[in-house]
Amino acid sequence: MTSTSPPPGLARFNDLEESVARAALHEACASTAWATRLLAARPYATVADLYTVSDTAMADLTVTDLAEAMAGHPPIGRPKPGDPTSAREQRGMAGASAELKAEMLELNLAYQEKFGHVFLICATGRTGEQMRDAVKERIGNAPEQEREIVRVELGKINRIRLARLVEED
């Protein structure tokens, strides 16, 4: 019986010193509770195992943990300066018109005033118009409903970021 070893990128992640792995996970998601769960489950045999633990950890986040995770995300249309991850993920806003950018700023502010946090969406692959339409649609949600939508969107973002973390060199 032969055992299969994890893909090289995942093996590298499994072997990282805990503080280095924690820092890498913090880049993927600002939730300490989420990162702690993922670290505790190392080593991972497959990327699917990593995703399963990530999804479970995300589902189990408290309201406070979720707020910590959201605090790590800049508003749509205003990626963190010098942060290639947020710039890449928000690429759909890069070529947006000045009018669309101004509208997104207004919508972001209205959303933040209502919910107390930035509008969060898995922006990868979405156009500026799609993001605008999503915030317009979601601003009418009840806070509890919106919190669960945000949890799902964060889970999608985390999977994309984890994939980048463990991809082969």
Side-chain angles (χ1 to χ4, degrees):
M1 187 153 83
T2 61
S3 70
T4 59
S5 57
L10 183 60
R12 185 180 60 247
F13 173 73
N14 285 337
D15 292 341
L16 287 176
E17 182 182 311
E18 185 168 339
S19 63
V20 175
R22 183 175 296 280
L25 289 172
H26 190 264
E27 287 296 313
C29 179
S31 166
T32 303
W34 176 84
T36 299
R37 287 276 296 272
L38 270 67
L39 287 171
R42 288 192 310 169
Y44 295 96
T46 67
V47 174
D49 294 341
L50 175 65
Y51 291 160
T52 298
V53 173
S54 174
D55 293 347
T56 302
M58 184 55 60
D60 291 345
L61 291 184
T62 66
V63 171
T64 303
D65 296 331
L66 202 55
E68 180 184 31
M70 287 185 285
H73 290 268
I76 296 292
R78 292 184 291 159
K80 287 185 234 168
D83 179 4
T85 300
S86 63
R88 180 180 55 251
E89 291 171 349
Q90 295 190 26
R91 191 173 20 231
M93 284 300 294
S97 67
E99 295 81 13
L100 180 56
K101 287 179 181 179
E103 185 179 11
M104 259 327 266
L105 177 60
E106 279 183 39
L107 289 165
N108 274 324
L109 292 172
Y111 179 97
Q112 193 158 354
E113 189 170 308
K114 178 174 180 178
F115 295 110
H117 57 81
V118 298
F119 171 68
L120 199 134
I121 189 168
C122 182
T124 301
R126 292 183 190 256
T127 66
E129 291 81 4
Q130 289 170 323
M131 289 183 266
R132 177 206 53 213
D133 294 348
V135 70
K136 281 181 169 182
E137 180 181 314
R138 288 173 43 192
I139 203 161
N141 289 340
E144 304 75 29
Q145 178 188 17
E146 187 58 20
R147 189 170 36 252
E148 292 314 306
I149 292 170
V150 164
R151 186 183 303 273
V152 170
E153 293 299 311
L154 272 168
K156 292 176 192 174
I157 294 165
N158 290 352
R159 277 181 170 240
I160 290 167
R161 290 179 174 185
L162 285 171
R164 292 187 92 75
L165 178 64
V166 300
E167 71 187 5
E168 292 184 47
D169 293 323

